[in-house]
């Protein structure tokens, strides 16, 4: 007996609107065409996700001759917008694999996951990830690819400074001072610029101790200006930024991509990084190590986790066909193939266990991230207000650590923005 879910993988594809139009009204035929829009995880035509999907679809169609799957792949800069345009025009794809699902769930556009996926597939997802796919206690978002953050450090620079990787904030600050004394350009890279400031912010909030809990509390209420969070940014402002230990670029103007590139160029002593930095740094010959993000007085309470989402749209029907295809997508072999191709973490328990047990060098490189995933905490993606809150954090959080800036004032303003956005989304 099949139970299915409304979390179909929204795959970003290069399908034009004409192709999407052709999918309407196919439910009455034994021959069905499913359209998937998916995001591109590659960085060139040679590594495009289109190659992964083409091979997977060919395999699936060979076993299901009555089903055709058309996949359009778009860059991350375009894919969310493309899907929104399709939905707004009344021509939703059958599936999309994009960055957020909550707005579509709130608009009653998606199948619940229980209407799509088999019970076996549903049970295989890592619980922190599947839990984050719920809107109003029903899961609509299906995790697709995941990552966590660890602290990367430059082994060569650390050896020259005679220091070891930090396990507490005080040790991190002391290491940064030692690196600065050796002329390191960025002792600690603190990217609070508008590209991805919400990620760096959340990792520090989770490591703050004293009840620090990220952006929300246990029941999902925004707590951005909590005493613990204000204390965290007071420390960053006074002990790192104020002592000139975060590099020549002001944190509010430093973007994540620039920080990663500087690390790969050997200019950064330490920074929070996700799995893609492994290959980026290795290509430049940087010798690096990875350790859990330090907490205020010990290991951080949790690492920040990130996942992208698959979802199934209701407009064209096809729930059974969508679910069958997604069960195939989430087979252990296919999940591992995608994760290994793009250096990301599996979202299922079976694939995670297989990767953890593997001795292959590429899998072993991901083990530090895998270890963090089961206890990681994700953005509050189940809140339709999160997009507006994340945008506000990106634009404003850098001001909290500027000379003369007020962490309390900035976090209080962000809390007001979050409260207002949450009120609008639930009214």
């Amino acid at each position: 007996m099949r139970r299915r879910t409304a979390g179909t993988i929204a795959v970003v594809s290069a399908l034009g609107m004409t192709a999407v139009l052709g999918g309407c009204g196919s439910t009455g035929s034994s021959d069905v065409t499913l359209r998937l829009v998916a995001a591109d995880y590659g960085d060139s035509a040679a590594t495009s996700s289109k190659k992964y999907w083409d091979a997977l679809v060919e395999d699936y169609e060979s076993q299901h001759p009555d089903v055709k799957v058309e996949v359009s792949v778009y860059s991350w800069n375009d894919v969310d917008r493309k899907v929104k345009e399709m939905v707004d025009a009344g021509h939703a794809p059958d599936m999309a694999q994009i960055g957020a699902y909550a707005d579509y769930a709130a608009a009653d556009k998606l199948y619940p996951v229980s209407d799509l996926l088999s019970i076996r597939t549903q049970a295989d997802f890592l619980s922190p990830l599947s839990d984050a796919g719920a809107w109003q206690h029903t899961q609509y978002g299906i995790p697709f690819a995941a990552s966590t953050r660890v602290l990367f450090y430059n082994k060569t620079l650390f050896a020259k400074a005679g220091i070891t990787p930090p396990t507490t904030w005080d040790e991190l600050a002391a290491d940064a001072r030692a690196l600065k004394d050796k002329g390191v350009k960025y002792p600690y890279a603190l990217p609070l610029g508008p590209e991805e400031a919400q990620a760096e912010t959340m990792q520090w909030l989770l490591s703050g101790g004293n009840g620090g809990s990220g952006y929300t509390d246990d029941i999902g209420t925004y707590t951005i200006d909590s005493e613990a969070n204000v204390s965290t940014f007071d420390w960053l402002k006074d002990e790192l930024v104020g002592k000139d230990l975060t590099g020549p670029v002001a944190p509010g103007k430093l973007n994540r991509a620039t920080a990663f590139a500087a690390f790969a160029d050997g200019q950064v002593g330490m920074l929070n990084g996700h799995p893609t930095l492994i290959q980026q740094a290795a290509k430049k010959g940087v010798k690096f190590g990875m350790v859990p993000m330090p907490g205020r007085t010990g290991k951080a309470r949790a690492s920040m986790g990130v996942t992208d989402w698959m979802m199934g749209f209701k407009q064209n029907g096809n729930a059974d066909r969508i679910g069958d295809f997604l069960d195939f997508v989430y087979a252990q072999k296919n999940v591992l193939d995608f994760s290994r191709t793009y250096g990301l973490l599996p979202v299922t328990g079976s694939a995670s266990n297989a990767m953890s047990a593997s001795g292959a060098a590429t899998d072993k490189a991901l083990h530090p991230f895998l270890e963090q995933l089961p206890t990681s905490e994700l953005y509050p993606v189940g809140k339709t207000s999160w997009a507006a809150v994340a945008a506000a954090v990106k634009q404003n959080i850098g001001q909290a650590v500027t000379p003369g800036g007020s962490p309390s004032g900035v976090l209080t303003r962000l809390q007001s923005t979050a409260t207002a956005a949450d009120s609008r989304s639930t009214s």
Side-chain angles (χ1 to χ4, degrees):
M1 180 177 175
R2 173 179 289 279
R3 256 186 110 223
R4 298 194 168 276
T5 37
T8 321
I9 300 180
V11 179
V12 180
S13 70
L15 285 177
M17 191 61 69
T18 302
V20 176
L21 284 166
C24 300
S26 62
T27 55
S29 170
S30 59
D31 294 322
V32 173
T33 298
L34 299 176
R35 268 110 188 163
L36 168 65
V37 176
D40 197 347
Y41 290 82
D43 56 11
S44 67
T47 61
S48 173
S49 297
K50 187 176 188 305
K51 289 192 170 185
Y52 171 81
W53 287 110
D54 284 351
L56 183 144
V57 166
E58 182 179 3
D59 191 8
Y60 180 78
E61 289 180 346
S62 70
Q63 302 173 42
H64 302 81
D66 59 335
V67 179
K68 181 176 177 59
V69 182
E70 295 183 356
V71 180
S72 303
V73 177
Y74 296 102
S75 77
W76 273 109
N77 292 330
D78 299 323
V79 67
D80 290 277
R81 175 177 55 82
K82 289 286 188 181
V83 172
K84 184 178 187 301
E85 289 172 354
M86 293 176 186
V87 174
D88 289 349
H91 304 302
D94 295 287
M95 297 166 281
Q97 182 261 304
I98 50 179
Y101 68 87
D103 284 349
Y104 296 123
D108 196 28
K109 302 287 188 182
L110 303 179
Y111 285 112
V113 173
S114 57
D115 287 354
L116 297 174
L117 301 180
S118 68
I119 292 174
R120 175 177 293 182
T121 300
Q122 292 179 68
D124 198 20
F125 289 110
L126 297 172
S127 57
L129 306 184
S130 55
D131 289 349
W135 178 77
Q136 293 193 345
H137 311 295
T138 298
Q139 186 183 352
Y140 294 93
I142 305 175
F144 182 69
S147 68
T148 56
R149 299 292 197 273
V150 299
L151 186 74
F152 283 70
Y153 66 97
N154 184 309
K155 286 185 174 181
T156 303
L157 298 179
F158 266 58
K160 288 180 178 178
I163 55 178
T164 56
T167 60
T168 66
W169 285 6
D170 285 347
E171 291 177 7
L172 187 149
D175 283 351
R177 283 193 294 273
L179 290 164
K180 180 177 175 59
D181 290 344
K182 293 294 183 180
V184 175
K185 188 173 182 179
Y186 295 91
Y188 179 86
L190 184 67
L192 296 178
E195 179 193 1
E196 204 185 31
Q198 82 282 7
E200 184 75 12
T201 296
M202 184 167 175
Q203 185 60 72
W204 279 98
L205 297 184
L206 289 173
S207 66
N210 298 326
S213 58
Y215 292 108
T216 61
D217 61 18
D218 291 340
I219 60 173
T221 302
Y222 285 111
T223 54
I224 297 173
D225 64 346
S226 69
E227 182 178 345
N229 290 348
V230 171
S231 176
T232 292
F233 270 84
D234 281 337
W235 188 90
L236 284 171
K237 177 176 179 289
D238 295 340
E239 302 301 324
L240 283 187
V241 182
K243 294 183 178 177
D244 201 24
L245 301 177
T246 56
V249 178
K253 295 182 178 179
L254 180 64
N255 282 325
R256 190 265 308 161
T258 303
F260 278 20
F263 186 85
D265 287 337
Q267 300 175 338
V268 173
M270 300 173 278
L271 84 171
N272 281 316
H274 53 63
T276 60
L277 184 55
I278 294 175
Q279 293 183 353
Q280 189 174 350
K283 285 179 181 177
K284 293 289 192 78
V286 172
K287 292 182 171 58
F288 61 89
M290 298 177 289
V291 294
M293 174 66 180
R296 187 180 289 270
T297 57
K299 184 179 177 181
R301 183 176 64 80
S303 173
M304 187 194 75
V306 176
T307 188
D308 303 320
W309 300 99
M310 180 73 78
M311 61 211 72
F313 285 88
K314 296 195 298 185
Q315 179 177 327
N316 302 322
N318 296 328
D320 284 346
R321 301 289 195 177
I322 291 170
D324 191 72
F325 175 67
L326 290 180
D327 281 342
F328 182 80
V329 168
Y330 285 101
Q332 178 180 315
K333 173 186 179 298
N334 294 327
V335 173
L336 281 171
D337 283 350
F338 184 87
S339 300
R340 286 165 172 162
T341 298
Y342 295 104
L344 293 165
L345 304 182
V347 296
T348 62
S350 60
S352 292
N353 291 338
M355 185 175 280
S356 295
S358 170
T362 53
D363 287 346
K364 289 178 70 174
L366 293 173
H367 287 179
F369 300 93
L370 272 175
E371 292 167 3
Q372 306 259 27
L373 191 57
T375 57
S376 65
E377 296 197 13
L378 280 70
Y379 299 130
V381 290
K383 297 171 76 67
T384 56
S385 57
W386 170 241
V389 174
V393 172
K394 290 179 184 182
Q395 293 300 320
N396 297 290
I397 195 64
Q399 300 170 18
V401 296
T402 57
S406 167
S408 177
V410 171
L411 294 182
T412 296
R413 289 194 297 275
L414 287 171
Q415 176 67 30
S416 297
T417 297
T419 301
D422 215 24
S423 178
R424 288 194 300 271
S425 70
T426 55
S427 61

